[in-house]
Amino acid sequence: MERDEMILYMMAIIFFSFAIFDGIFFLLKHGKTVKTHGKIVSIKSTNPANEKWRNAKLALVSYSVNGRTIVSKNRMQVSLAAQIGTPVTIRYDRNQPEKIYSYSVKRVIAEVLIGIGSLLIIVFMQIY
């Protein structure tokens, strides 16, 4: 087995594993969360600004639940362009409104497609 094939097999395994984990998490939490809109109130960078391409922003979000304003306990990853006051769509736990989740069906589909793409590349490499 060539080195390229081995890397592609590893990619496929990793992305299928993530898809399974995220899919199970989605099924477990889907009926127990509520989707709403909020605004970013605090941003923290994971890396110094000198490495923009590998940097990520983690934000605390403020949102309204049953007439009261809540600031999330946990941070969620947001785009590098996000600033304080940027509107975001979130999901929070019905029983613990301070807890937010960032799962989505789109993420699961993307992980499965990347895994399938890796396997297809392996097949084409073996054919040609």
Side-chain angles (χ1 to χ4, degrees), residues 30-123:
H30 184 63
K32 299 175 183 171
T33 60
V34 178
K35 189 175 186 179
T36 189
H37 300 284
K39 290 192 178 198
I40 296 174
V41 293
S42 170
I43 294 178
K44 175 181 158 183
S45 289
T46 58
N47 247 348
N50 60 358
E51 290 192 46
K52 279 232 181 242
W53 67 277
R54 281 192 293 185
N55 206 352
K57 286 185 177 180
L58 301 174
L60 288 178
V61 180
S62 172
Y63 49 98
S64 183
V65 176
N66 297 330
R68 69 176 222 211
T69 302
I70 295 176
V71 176
S72 62
K73 284 184 181 177
N74 53 326
R75 293 182 181 267
M76 67 179 281
Q77 187 173 354
V78 293
S79 73
L80 288 175
Q83 300 294 326
I84 293 176
T86 302
V88 291
T89 302
I90 59 153
R91 288 192 168 276
Y92 67 88
D93 192 316
R94 285 184 202 262
N95 299 325
Q96 297 174 317
E98 303 84 21
K99 196 171 185 181
I100 60 175
Y101 298 104
S102 61
Y103 67 82
S104 73
V105 175
K106 290 177 188 175
R107 181 187 301 174
V108 174
I109 292 170
E111 291 164 347
V112 168
L113 290 176
I114 293 170
I116 291 171
S118 299
L119 293 177
L120 287 175
I121 292 170
I122 294 168
V123 168

